[in-house]
Coordinates of all heavy atoms in Angstrom, one line a residue:
M739 N -3.5 -6.4 -22.0 CA -2.4 -7.3 -21.9 C -2.7 -8.3 -20.7 O -3.1 -7.8 -19.6 CB -1.1 -6.7 -21.6 CG 0.1 -7.5 -21.6 SD 1.6 -6.6 -21.8 CE 2.5 -7.1 -20.4
S740 N -2.7 -9.6 -20.9 CA -3.0 -10.5 -19.8 C -1.8 -10.9 -19.0 O -0.7 -10.9 -19.5 CB -3.6 -11.7 -20.4 OG -2.7 -12.4 -21.2
S741 N -2.0 -11.2 -17.8 CA -1.0 -11.7 -16.9 C -0.7 -13.1 -17.1 O -1.5 -13.8 -17.7 CB -1.4 -11.4 -15.4 OG -1.6 -10.1 -15.2
A742 N 0.3 -13.7 -16.5 CA 0.6 -15.1 -16.6 C -0.5 -15.9 -15.9 O -1.0 -15.4 -14.9 CB 2.0 -15.4 -16.0
P743 N -0.8 -17.1 -16.4 CA -1.8 -17.9 -15.7 C -1.5 -18.1 -14.3 O -0.3 -18.3 -13.9 CB -1.8 -19.2 -16.5 CG -1.3 -18.8 -17.8 CD -0.3 -17.7 -17.6
Q744 N -2.5 -18.0 -13.4 CA -2.3 -18.2 -12.0 C -3.0 -19.4 -11.5 O -4.2 -19.5 -11.7 CB -2.8 -17.0 -11.3 CG -2.7 -17.0 -9.7 CD -3.1 -15.8 -9.0 OE1 -3.4 -14.8 -9.7 NE2 -3.1 -15.8 -7.7
K745 N -2.3 -20.4 -11.0 CA -2.9 -21.6 -10.5 C -3.5 -21.3 -9.2 O -2.9 -20.7 -8.3 CB -1.9 -22.7 -10.4 CG -2.5 -24.0 -10.0 CD -3.3 -24.6 -11.1 CE -3.7 -26.0 -10.7 NZ -4.9 -26.5 -11.5
C746 N -4.8 -21.6 -9.1 CA -5.6 -21.4 -7.9 C -6.0 -22.7 -7.3 O -6.2 -23.7 -7.9 CB -6.8 -20.5 -8.1 SG -6.4 -18.8 -8.4
R747 N -6.3 -22.7 -6.0 CA -7.0 -23.8 -5.3 C -8.5 -23.6 -5.6 O -9.1 -22.6 -5.2 CB -6.6 -23.7 -3.8 CG -7.3 -24.8 -3.0 CD -6.9 -24.7 -1.5 NE -7.6 -25.7 -0.8 CZ -8.4 -25.5 0.3 NH1 -8.5 -24.2 0.7 NH2 -8.9 -26.5 0.9
I748 N -9.1 -24.7 -6.1 CA -10.5 -24.7 -6.3 C -11.1 -25.6 -5.3 O -10.7 -26.7 -5.1 CB -10.9 -25.2 -7.7 CG1 -10.1 -24.5 -8.8 CG2 -12.4 -25.2 -7.9 CD1 -10.5 -23.0 -9.0
R749 N -12.1 -25.1 -4.5 CA -12.8 -25.9 -3.5 C -14.3 -25.6 -3.4 O -14.7 -24.5 -3.9 CB -12.1 -25.7 -2.2 CG -12.2 -24.3 -1.6 CD -11.8 -24.2 -0.2 NE -11.8 -22.9 0.4 CZ -12.9 -22.3 0.9 NH1 -14.1 -22.9 0.8 NH2 -12.8 -21.1 1.4
P750 N -15.0 -26.4 -2.7 CA -16.4 -26.1 -2.6 C -16.6 -24.8 -1.7 O -15.9 -24.6 -0.8 CB -17.0 -27.3 -1.8 CG -16.1 -28.4 -2.1 CD -14.7 -27.7 -2.2
M751 N -17.6 -24.0 -2.1 CA -17.9 -22.8 -1.3 C -18.6 -23.3 0.0 O -19.4 -24.2 0.0 CB -18.8 -22.0 -2.2 CG -19.2 -20.6 -1.6 SD -20.5 -19.7 -2.6 CE -19.7 -19.6 -4.2
T752 N -18.4 -22.5 1.0 CA -19.1 -22.7 2.3 C -19.7 -21.5 2.7 O -19.5 -20.4 2.2 CB -18.1 -23.2 3.4 OG1 -17.2 -22.1 3.7 CG2 -17.2 -24.4 3.0
A753 N -20.6 -21.6 3.8 CA -21.3 -20.4 4.3 C -20.3 -19.4 4.8 O -20.6 -18.2 4.7 CB -22.2 -20.8 5.4
A754 N -19.1 -19.8 5.3 CA -18.1 -18.8 5.7 C -17.6 -18.0 4.6 O -17.0 -16.9 4.8 CB -17.0 -19.6 6.4
D755 N -17.7 -18.4 3.4 CA -17.2 -17.7 2.2 C -18.2 -16.6 1.6 O -17.8 -15.9 0.8 CB -16.9 -18.7 1.1 CG -15.9 -19.7 1.5 OD1 -14.9 -19.3 2.1 OD2 -16.1 -20.9 1.2
L756 N -19.4 -16.6 2.1 CA -20.4 -15.8 1.5 C -20.1 -14.3 1.5 O -20.4 -13.7 0.5 CB -21.8 -16.1 2.1 CG -22.3 -17.5 1.8 CD1 -23.8 -17.7 2.4 CD2 -22.3 -17.8 0.3
E757 N -19.6 -13.8 2.5 CA -19.3 -12.3 2.5 C -18.3 -12.0 1.4 O -18.4 -11.0 0.7 CB -18.8 -11.9 3.9 CG -19.9 -11.8 4.9 CD -21.0 -10.9 4.5 OE1 -20.8 -9.8 4.0 OE2 -22.2 -11.4 4.8
A758 N -17.2 -12.8 1.3 CA -16.2 -12.6 0.2 C -16.8 -12.7 -1.2 O -16.6 -11.9 -2.1 CB -15.0 -13.5 0.4
V759 N -17.6 -13.7 -1.3 CA -18.3 -14.0 -2.6 C -19.2 -12.8 -3.0 O -19.2 -12.3 -4.1 CB -19.1 -15.3 -2.6 CG1 -20.1 -15.5 -3.7 CG2 -18.1 -16.5 -2.5
M760 N -20.0 -12.4 -2.0 CA -21.0 -11.3 -2.3 C -20.2 -10.0 -2.6 O -20.6 -9.2 -3.3 CB -22.0 -11.2 -1.1 CG -22.9 -12.4 -1.0 SD -24.1 -12.3 0.3 CE -25.1 -10.9 -0.2
A761 N -19.1 -9.8 -1.9 CA -18.3 -8.6 -2.1 C -17.7 -8.6 -3.6 O -17.7 -7.5 -4.2 CB -17.1 -8.5 -1.1
I762 N -17.3 -9.7 -4.1 CA -16.9 -9.8 -5.4 C -18.0 -9.5 -6.4 O -17.9 -8.7 -7.3 CB -16.3 -11.3 -5.8 CG1 -14.9 -11.4 -5.0 CG2 -16.1 -11.4 -7.3 CD1 -14.4 -12.8 -5.1
A763 N -19.2 -10.1 -6.1 CA -20.3 -9.9 -7.0 C -20.7 -8.4 -7.0 O -21.0 -7.8 -8.1 CB -21.5 -10.7 -6.5
R764 N -20.7 -7.7 -5.8 CA -21.1 -6.3 -5.7 C -20.0 -5.4 -6.5 O -20.4 -4.4 -7.0 CB -21.1 -5.9 -4.3 CG -22.4 -6.3 -3.5 CD -22.5 -5.5 -2.2 NE -21.4 -5.8 -1.4 CZ -21.3 -6.8 -0.4 NH1 -22.3 -7.6 -0.3 NH2 -20.2 -6.9 0.3
S765 N -18.8 -5.9 -6.6 CA -17.8 -5.1 -7.2 C -17.8 -5.2 -8.7 O -17.1 -4.4 -9.4 CB -16.4 -5.5 -6.7 OG -16.0 -6.8 -7.2
L766 N -18.6 -6.1 -9.3 CA -18.6 -6.4 -10.7 C -19.9 -6.0 -11.3 O -21.0 -6.6 -10.9 CB -18.2 -7.8 -11.0 CG -16.9 -8.3 -10.5 CD1 -16.8 -9.8 -10.7 CD2 -15.8 -7.6 -11.3
P767 N -20.0 -5.1 -12.2 CA -21.3 -4.6 -12.8 C -22.0 -5.7 -13.6 O -23.2 -5.8 -13.6 CB -21.0 -3.4 -13.7 CG -19.5 -3.5 -13.9 CD -18.9 -4.3 -12.8
H768 N -21.3 -6.7 -14.1 CA -21.9 -7.8 -14.9 C -22.3 -9.0 -14.1 O -23.0 -9.9 -14.6 CB -20.9 -8.2 -16.0 CG -19.7 -8.9 -15.5 ND1 -18.6 -8.1 -15.1 CD2 -19.3 -10.1 -15.2 CE1 -17.7 -8.9 -14.7 NE2 -18.1 -10.1 -14.7
A769 N -21.9 -9.0 -12.8 CA -22.3 -10.2 -11.9 C -23.7 -10.0 -11.4 O -24.1 -8.9 -11.1 CB -21.3 -10.3 -10.8
P770 N -24.4 -11.2 -11.3 CA -25.8 -11.0 -10.7 C -25.7 -10.6 -9.2 O -24.8 -11.0 -8.5 CB -26.3 -12.5 -10.8 CG -25.2 -13.3 -11.1 CD -24.1 -12.5 -11.6
Q771 N -26.6 -9.7 -8.9 CA -26.6 -9.2 -7.5 C -27.6 -10.0 -6.7 O -28.6 -9.5 -6.3 CB -27.0 -7.7 -7.6 CG -26.0 -6.9 -8.4 CD -24.6 -7.0 -8.0 OE1 -24.3 -6.7 -6.8 NE2 -23.6 -7.3 -8.9
W772 N -27.3 -11.2 -6.4 CA -28.2 -12.1 -5.7 C -28.1 -11.8 -4.2 O -27.1 -11.4 -3.6 CB -27.7 -13.6 -5.8 CG -27.8 -14.2 -7.2 CD1 -28.5 -13.7 -8.3 CD2 -27.1 -15.3 -7.6 NE1 -28.4 -14.5 -9.3 CE2 -27.5 -15.5 -9.0 CE3 -26.3 -16.2 -7.0 CZ2 -27.1 -16.6 -9.7 CZ3 -25.8 -17.3 -7.8 CH2 -26.2 -17.5 -9.1
P773 N -29.3 -12.0 -3.5 CA -29.3 -11.8 -2.1 C -28.6 -13.0 -1.5 O -28.4 -14.1 -2.1 CB -30.8 -11.8 -1.7 CG -31.4 -12.5 -2.9 CD -30.6 -12.2 -4.1
R774 N -28.2 -12.9 -0.2 CA -27.5 -14.0 0.5 C -28.2 -15.3 0.5 O -27.7 -16.3 0.4 CB -27.2 -13.5 1.9 CG -26.5 -14.5 2.8 CD -26.3 -13.9 4.2 NE -25.3 -14.7 4.9 CZ -24.0 -14.4 4.9 NH1 -23.5 -13.3 4.4 NH2 -23.1 -15.1 5.6
S775 N -29.5 -15.2 0.5 CA -30.4 -16.4 0.6 C -30.2 -17.3 -0.6 O -30.3 -18.5 -0.6 CB -31.9 -16.0 0.7 OG -32.3 -15.3 -0.3
V776 N -30.0 -16.6 -1.8 CA -29.7 -17.4 -3.0 C -28.4 -18.2 -3.0 O -28.4 -19.4 -3.3 CB -29.8 -16.5 -4.3 CG1 -29.4 -17.2 -5.6 CG2 -31.2 -15.9 -4.4
Y777 N -27.4 -17.6 -2.5 CA -26.1 -18.2 -2.3 C -26.3 -19.4 -1.3 O -25.7 -20.5 -1.4 CB -25.0 -17.3 -1.9 CG -24.6 -16.3 -3.0 CD1 -25.0 -15.0 -2.9 CD2 -23.8 -16.8 -4.0 CE1 -24.6 -14.2 -4.0 CE2 -23.4 -15.9 -5.0 CZ -23.8 -14.6 -5.0 OH -23.4 -13.7 -6.0
Q778 N -27.0 -19.1 -0.2 CA -27.2 -20.1 0.8 C -27.9 -21.3 0.2 O -27.6 -22.5 0.5 CB -27.9 -19.6 2.0 CG -27.1 -18.7 2.8 CD -27.9 -17.9 3.9 OE1 -29.0 -17.5 3.7 NE2 -27.2 -17.8 5.1
T779 N -28.9 -21.1 -0.6 CA -29.6 -22.2 -1.3 C -28.7 -23.0 -2.2 O -28.8 -24.2 -2.2 CB -30.8 -21.7 -2.1 OG1 -31.7 -21.0 -1.2 CG2 -31.5 -22.8 -2.8
A780 N -27.8 -22.3 -2.8 CA -26.8 -23.0 -3.7 C -25.9 -23.9 -2.9 O -25.4 -24.9 -3.4 CB -25.9 -22.0 -4.5
L781 N -25.7 -23.7 -1.6 CA -24.9 -24.5 -0.8 C -25.6 -25.7 -0.2 O -25.0 -26.6 0.4 CB -24.3 -23.7 0.4 CG -23.5 -22.5 0.0 CD1 -23.0 -21.7 1.3 CD2 -22.3 -22.9 -0.8
D782 N -26.9 -25.7 -0.2 CA -27.8 -26.8 0.3 C -27.8 -28.0 -0.6 O -28.3 -27.9 -1.7 CB -29.2 -26.2 0.5 CG -30.1 -27.2 1.1 OD1 -29.7 -28.4 1.4 OD2 -31.3 -26.9 1.3
P783 N -27.2 -29.1 -0.1 CA -27.2 -30.3 -1.0 C -28.6 -30.9 -1.3 O -28.7 -31.6 -2.3 CB -26.4 -31.3 -0.2 CG -26.4 -30.8 1.2 CD -26.6 -29.4 1.1
E784 N -29.6 -30.4 -0.6 CA -30.9 -30.9 -0.8 C -31.8 -30.0 -1.7 O -32.9 -30.3 -2.1 CB -31.7 -31.1 0.5 CG -31.0 -32.0 1.5 CD -30.9 -33.4 1.0 OE1 -31.9 -33.9 0.4 OE2 -29.8 -34.0 1.1
S785 N -31.2 -28.9 -2.1 CA -31.9 -27.9 -3.0 C -32.2 -28.5 -4.3 O -31.6 -29.4 -4.9 CB -31.1 -26.6 -3.1 OG -30.0 -26.8 -4.0
Q786 N -33.3 -28.0 -4.9 CA -33.8 -28.4 -6.2 C -33.9 -27.1 -7.0 O -34.6 -26.2 -6.6 CB -35.1 -29.1 -6.2 CG -35.0 -30.5 -5.5 CD -34.0 -31.4 -6.3 OE1 -33.9 -31.4 -7.5 NE2 -33.2 -32.2 -5.5
P787 N -33.2 -27.0 -8.2 CA -32.4 -28.0 -8.7 C -31.1 -28.2 -7.9 O -30.7 -27.3 -7.1 CB -32.1 -27.5 -10.1 CG -32.1 -26.0 -10.0 CD -33.2 -25.8 -9.0
Q788 N -30.4 -29.3 -8.1 CA -29.2 -29.5 -7.4 C -28.1 -28.5 -8.0 O -28.1 -28.2 -9.2 CB -28.7 -31.0 -7.7 CG -27.4 -31.3 -7.0 CD -26.9 -32.7 -7.3 OE1 -27.4 -33.3 -8.1 NE2 -25.9 -33.1 -6.5
R789 N -27.3 -28.0 -7.1 CA -26.3 -27.0 -7.5 C -25.0 -27.4 -7.0 O -24.8 -28.1 -6.0 CB -26.7 -25.6 -7.0 CG -27.9 -25.0 -7.6 CD -28.1 -23.6 -7.2 NE -29.1 -22.9 -7.9 CZ -30.4 -22.9 -7.6 NH1 -30.8 -23.6 -6.6 NH2 -31.3 -22.2 -8.4
I790 N -24.0 -26.8 -7.6 CA -22.6 -26.9 -7.2 C -22.1 -25.4 -7.1 O -22.3 -24.6 -8.0 CB -21.7 -27.7 -8.1 CG1 -20.3 -27.9 -7.5 CG2 -21.6 -27.2 -9.5 CD1 -19.5 -28.9 -8.1
A791 N -21.4 -25.1 -6.0 CA -20.9 -23.8 -5.8 C -19.4 -24.0 -5.5 O -19.1 -24.6 -4.5 CB -21.6 -23.0 -4.7
L792 N -18.5 -23.4 -6.3 CA -17.1 -23.6 -6.1 C -16.4 -22.2 -6.0 O -17.0 -21.2 -6.6 CB -16.4 -24.4 -7.2 CG -16.9 -25.7 -7.5 CD1 -16.3 -26.3 -8.8 CD2 -16.7 -26.7 -6.3
L793 N -15.3 -22.1 -5.3 CA -14.5 -20.9 -5.4 C -13.1 -21.1 -5.6 O -12.6 -22.2 -5.4 CB -14.8 -20.0 -4.1 CG -14.4 -20.5 -2.7 CD1 -13.0 -20.4 -2.5 CD2 -15.2 -19.8 -1.7
A794 N -12.4 -20.1 -6.0 CA -11.0 -20.1 -6.3 C -10.3 -19.3 -5.3 O -10.7 -18.1 -5.0 CB -10.7 -19.6 -7.7
Q795 N -9.2 -19.8 -4.7 CA -8.4 -19.0 -3.8 C -6.9 -19.0 -4.3 O -6.4 -19.9 -4.9 CB -8.3 -19.8 -2.4 CG -9.6 -19.7 -1.6 CD -9.4 -20.5 -0.3 OE1 -9.0 -21.6 -0.3 NE2 -9.9 -19.9 0.8
D796 N -6.3 -17.8 -4.0 CA -4.9 -17.7 -4.5 C -4.0 -18.3 -3.4 O -4.5 -18.9 -2.4 CB -4.5 -16.3 -4.7 CG -4.5 -15.4 -3.5 OD1 -4.8 -15.9 -2.4 OD2 -4.1 -14.2 -3.6
A797 N -2.7 -18.2 -3.5 CA -1.8 -18.8 -2.6 C -1.9 -18.3 -1.2 O -1.6 -19.0 -0.2 CB -0.4 -18.6 -3.1
A798 N -2.4 -17.0 -1.0 CA -2.6 -16.5 0.3 C -4.0 -16.7 0.8 O -4.4 -16.1 1.8 CB -2.4 -15.0 0.2
Y799 N -4.8 -17.6 0.2 CA -6.1 -18.0 0.6 C -7.2 -16.9 0.4 O -8.2 -16.9 1.0 CB -6.2 -18.6 2.0 CG -5.4 -19.9 2.1 CD1 -4.1 -19.8 2.6 CD2 -5.9 -21.1 1.6 CE1 -3.3 -21.0 2.7 CE2 -5.1 -22.2 1.7 CZ -3.8 -22.2 2.2 OH -3.1 -23.3 2.3
T800 N -6.8 -15.9 -0.4 CA -7.8 -14.9 -0.8 C -8.7 -15.4 -1.8 O -8.4 -16.0 -2.8 CB -7.0 -13.7 -1.4 OG1 -6.1 -13.2 -0.4 CG2 -8.0 -12.5 -1.7
V801 N -10.1 -15.2 -1.6 CA -11.0 -15.6 -2.6 C -10.9 -14.8 -3.8 O -11.0 -13.5 -3.8 CB -12.5 -15.5 -2.0 CG1 -13.5 -15.9 -3.0 CG2 -12.6 -16.4 -0.8
A802 N -10.6 -15.4 -4.9 CA -10.3 -14.7 -6.2 C -11.6 -14.8 -7.1 O -11.7 -13.9 -7.9 CB -9.1 -15.4 -6.9
G803 N -12.4 -15.8 -7.0 CA -13.6 -15.9 -7.8 C -14.4 -17.1 -7.4 O -14.1 -17.8 -6.5
F804 N -15.6 -17.2 -8.1 CA -16.5 -18.3 -7.8 C -17.4 -18.6 -9.0 O -17.4 -17.9 -9.9 CB -17.4 -17.8 -6.6 CG -18.3 -16.7 -6.9 CD1 -19.6 -16.9 -7.3 CD2 -17.8 -15.4 -6.7 CE1 -20.4 -15.8 -7.6 CE2 -18.7 -14.3 -7.0 CZ -20.0 -14.5 -7.4
V805 N -18.0 -19.8 -8.8 CA -18.9 -20.3 -9.9 C -20.1 -21.0 -9.2 O -19.9 -21.6 -8.2 CB -18.2 -21.2 -10.9 CG1 -17.7 -22.5 -10.2 CG2 -19.1 -21.6 -12.0
V806 N -21.2 -20.8 -9.8 CA -22.4 -21.6 -9.3 C -23.1 -22.1 -10.6 O -23.3 -21.4 -11.6 CB -23.4 -20.6 -8.6 CG1 -24.7 -21.4 -8.2 CG2 -22.8 -20.0 -7.4
A807 N -23.4 -23.5 -10.6 CA -24.0 -24.1 -11.7 C -25.1 -25.0 -11.1 O -25.1 -25.5 -10.0 CB -23.0 -25.0 -12.4
S808 N -26.1 -25.2 -11.9 CA -27.3 -26.1 -11.5 C -27.3 -27.3 -12.5 O -26.8 -27.2 -13.6 CB -28.6 -25.4 -11.5 OG -28.8 -24.8 -12.8
F809 N -27.8 -28.4 -11.9 CA -27.9 -29.6 -12.7 C -29.3 -30.1 -12.9 O -30.1 -30.2 -12.0 CB -27.1 -30.8 -12.0 CG -25.6 -30.4 -11.9 CD1 -25.1 -29.9 -10.7 CD2 -24.8 -30.6 -13.0 CE1 -23.8 -29.6 -10.6 CE2 -23.4 -30.3 -12.9 CZ -22.9 -29.8 -11.7
F810 N -29.7 -30.3 -14.2 CA -30.9 -30.9 -14.5 C -30.6 -32.1 -15.4 O -30.4 -32.0 -16.6 CB -31.7 -29.9 -15.4 CG -31.9 -28.5 -14.8 CD1 -31.0 -27.5 -15.1 CD2 -33.0 -28.3 -13.9 CE1 -31.1 -26.3 -14.5 CE2 -33.1 -27.0 -13.4 CZ -32.2 -26.0 -13.7
T811 N -30.4 -33.2 -14.8 CA -30.0 -34.4 -15.5 C -30.7 -34.6 -16.8 O -31.9 -34.5 -16.8 CB -30.2 -35.7 -14.6 OG1 -29.5 -35.4 -13.3 CG2 -29.6 -36.9 -15.2
P812 N -30.0 -34.7 -17.9 CA -28.6 -34.9 -18.1 C -27.9 -33.6 -18.4 O -26.7 -33.6 -18.8 CB -28.5 -35.8 -19.3 CG -29.7 -35.3 -20.1 CD -30.8 -35.0 -19.1
D813 N -28.5 -32.4 -18.1 CA -27.9 -31.1 -18.5 C -27.4 -30.4 -17.3 O -27.7 -30.7 -16.1 CB -28.9 -30.3 -19.2 CG -29.4 -30.9 -20.5 OD1 -28.5 -31.4 -21.3 OD2 -30.6 -30.9 -20.8
A814 N -26.7 -29.4 -17.5 CA -26.2 -28.5 -16.5 C -26.3 -27.0 -17.0 O -26.2 -26.8 -18.2 CB -24.7 -28.8 -16.1
E815 N -26.4 -26.1 -16.1 CA -26.5 -24.7 -16.5 C -25.6 -23.9 -15.7 O -25.6 -23.9 -14.4 CB -28.0 -24.2 -16.4 CG -28.1 -22.7 -16.7 CD -29.5 -22.2 -16.5 OE1 -30.5 -23.0 -16.6 OE2 -29.7 -21.0 -16.1
L816 N -24.7 -23.1 -16.3 CA -23.9 -22.2 -15.6 C -24.7 -21.0 -15.2 O -25.3 -20.3 -16.0 CB -22.7 -21.7 -16.5 CG -21.7 -20.7 -15.9 CD1 -21.0 -21.3 -14.7 CD2 -20.8 -20.3 -17.0
E817 N -24.9 -20.8 -13.9 CA -25.7 -19.7 -13.3 C -24.9 -18.4 -13.2 O -25.3 -17.3 -13.6 CB -26.3 -20.0 -12.0 CG -27.3 -21.2 -12.1 CD -28.0 -21.5 -10.8 OE1 -28.2 -20.5 -10.0 OE2 -28.5 -22.6 -10.7
T818 N -23.6 -18.5 -12.7 CA -22.8 -17.4 -12.6 C -21.3 -17.8 -12.5 O -21.1 -18.9 -11.9 CB -23.2 -16.4 -11.5 OG1 -22.4 -15.2 -11.6 CG2 -23.0 -17.1 -10.1
I819 N -20.5 -17.0 -13.0 CA -19.0 -17.2 -12.8 C -18.4 -15.8 -12.7 O -18.8 -14.9 -13.6 CB -18.4 -18.0 -13.9 CG1 -16.9 -18.4 -13.6 CG2 -18.5 -17.4 -15.3 CD1 -16.3 -19.5 -14.5
A820 N -17.7 -15.5 -11.7 CA -17.2 -14.2 -11.5 C -15.8 -14.3 -10.9 O -15.5 -15.1 -10.0 CB -18.1 -13.4 -10.5
V821 N -14.9 -13.3 -11.3 CA -13.5 -13.2 -10.8 C -13.3 -11.8 -10.4 O -13.6 -10.9 -11.1 CB -12.5 -13.7 -11.9 CG1 -11.1 -13.5 -11.4 CG2 -12.7 -15.1 -12.3
A822 N -12.8 -11.6 -9.2 CA -12.5 -10.3 -8.7 C -11.6 -9.5 -9.7 O -10.7 -10.1 -10.3 CB -11.8 -10.3 -7.3
A823 N -11.8 -8.3 -9.8 CA -11.1 -7.5 -10.8 C -9.6 -7.6 -10.7 O -8.9 -7.8 -11.7 CB -11.5 -6.0 -10.7
K824 N -9.0 -7.6 -9.5 CA -7.5 -7.7 -9.4 C -7.0 -9.1 -9.8 O -5.8 -9.2 -10.0 CB -7.1 -7.3 -8.0 CG -7.4 -8.3 -7.0 CD -6.8 -7.8 -5.6 CE -7.0 -8.8 -4.5 NZ -6.4 -8.4 -3.3
F825 N -7.9 -10.1 -10.0 CA -7.5 -11.5 -10.4 C -7.8 -11.8 -11.9 O -7.5 -12.9 -12.3 CB -8.1 -12.5 -9.5 CG -7.5 -12.4 -8.1 CD1 -8.3 -11.9 -7.0 CD2 -6.3 -13.0 -7.8 CE1 -7.8 -11.8 -5.7 CE2 -5.8 -13.0 -6.5 CZ -6.5 -12.4 -5.5
Q826 N -8.5 -10.8 -12.5 CA -8.9 -11.1 -13.9 C -7.7 -11.2 -14.8 O -6.7 -10.7 -14.6 CB -9.9 -10.1 -14.3 CG -11.2 -10.2 -13.7 CD -12.2 -9.1 -14.1 OE1 -12.0 -8.3 -14.9 NE2 -13.4 -9.1 -13.4
R827 N -8.0 -11.9 -16.0 CA -7.0 -12.1 -17.0 C -5.9 -13.0 -16.6 O -4.7 -12.9 -17.1 CB -6.5 -10.8 -17.6 CG -7.5 -9.7 -17.9 CD -8.3 -9.8 -19.1 NE -7.4 -10.0 -20.3 CZ -7.9 -10.5 -21.4 NH1 -9.1 -10.8 -21.5 NH2 -7.1 -10.6 -22.5
R828 N -6.1 -13.9 -15.7 CA -5.1 -14.8 -15.2 C -5.5 -16.3 -15.4 O -4.9 -17.2 -14.8 CB -4.8 -14.6 -13.8 CG -4.2 -13.2 -13.5 CD -3.8 -13.0 -12.1 NE -3.6 -11.6 -11.8 CZ -3.3 -11.1 -10.7 NH1 -3.2 -11.9 -9.6 NH2 -3.0 -9.8 -10.5
G829 N -6.6 -16.6 -16.1 CA -7.1 -18.0 -16.3 C -7.9 -18.6 -15.2 O -8.2 -19.7 -15.2
I830 N -8.3 -17.7 -14.2 CA -9.0 -18.3 -13.1 C -10.4 -18.7 -13.4 O -10.9 -19.7 -13.0 CB -9.0 -17.2 -11.9 CG1 -7.6 -17.0 -11.4 CG2 -9.9 -17.6 -10.8 CD1 -7.4 -15.9 -10.4
A831 N -11.1 -17.9 -14.2 CA -12.4 -18.3 -14.7 C -12.4 -19.6 -15.5 O -13.3 -20.5 -15.3 CB -13.0 -17.2 -15.6
S832 N -11.4 -19.8 -16.2 CA -11.2 -21.1 -17.0 C -11.1 -22.3 -16.0 O -11.6 -23.3 -16.2 CB -10.0 -21.1 -17.9 OG -10.3 -20.1 -19.0
Q833 N -10.3 -22.1 -15.0 CA -10.1 -23.1 -13.9 C -11.4 -23.4 -13.3 O -11.7 -24.6 -13.0 CB -9.0 -22.7 -12.9 CG -7.6 -22.6 -13.5 CD -6.7 -22.0 -12.4 OE1 -6.5 -22.6 -11.3 NE2 -6.0 -20.9 -12.8
L834 N -12.1 -22.4 -12.9 CA -13.4 -22.6 -12.2 C -14.4 -23.3 -13.2 O -15.0 -24.3 -12.8 CB -14.1 -21.3 -11.9 CG -13.5 -20.6 -10.6 CD1 -13.8 -19.2 -10.5 CD2 -13.9 -21.3 -9.4
F835 N -14.4 -22.9 -14.4 CA -15.3 -23.6 -15.4 C -14.9 -25.0 -15.6 O -15.8 -25.9 -15.7 CB -15.3 -22.8 -16.7 CG -16.3 -23.3 -17.7 CD1 -17.6 -22.9 -17.6 CD2 -15.9 -24.1 -18.8 CE1 -18.5 -23.4 -18.5 CE2 -16.8 -24.5 -19.7 CZ -18.2 -24.2 -19.6
Q836 N -13.7 -25.3 -15.7 CA -13.2 -26.7 -15.8 C -13.5 -27.6 -14.6 O -13.9 -28.8 -14.8 CB -11.7 -26.8 -16.2 CG -11.4 -26.3 -17.5 CD -9.9 -26.2 -17.8 OE1 -9.1 -26.6 -16.9 NE2 -9.5 -25.7 -18.9
A837 N -13.5 -27.0 -13.5 CA -13.8 -27.7 -12.2 C -15.2 -28.1 -12.2 O -15.6 -29.1 -11.7 CB -13.4 -26.9 -11.0

């Protein structure tokens, strides 16, 4: 049974978010277990390929999930999207994907 959709704040991921992001990834068996350096590269605007890293926060500013995608003009590739278990089934992954 799914919970009611939860509207989250979607914003760019920063280096200060990496511990929370990595904790979510570690808690999910299907999430890639990337080292910190991979997330840091995703935050670098000069990295090739160009990437976008976003995260979702709930009303209490808790990190609920994140997404990383790479761009190869004119295409894009979703590298990972993950939502913490306690926030799943609330439409957060859809919000991240749309952003």
Side-chain angles (χ1 to χ4, degrees):
M739 185 161 129
S740 65
S741 300
Q744 179 175 355
K745 185 69 174 162
C746 286
R747 176 178 179 235
I748 308 294
R749 66 167 177 82
M751 187 186 302
T752 68
D755 301 314
L756 293 183
E757 287 305 319
V759 165
M760 292 178 69
I762 290 171
R764 281 191 303 268
S765 73
L766 301 171
H768 63 276
Q771 303 301 306
W772 294 344
R774 185 181 193 90
S775 61
V776 173
Y777 289 105
Q778 288 172 319
T779 299
L781 300 177
D782 180 1
E784 303 298 319
S785 72
Q786 291 300 321
Q788 183 182 10
R789 290 187 170 90
I790 186 169
L792 303 173
L793 60 82
Q795 290 178 311
D796 70 358
Y799 298 100
T800 302
V801 177
F804 65 93
V805 63
V806 177
S808 56
F809 297 98
F810 307 91
T811 304
D813 299 316
E815 178 181 330
L816 178 63
E817 294 185 28
T818 188
I819 189 167
V821 175
K824 71 179 186 176
F825 292 102
Q826 290 180 2
R827 314 280 310 160
R828 299 182 191 178
I830 295 171
S832 294
Q833 291 174 59
L834 285 163
F835 188 75
Q836 290 174 3

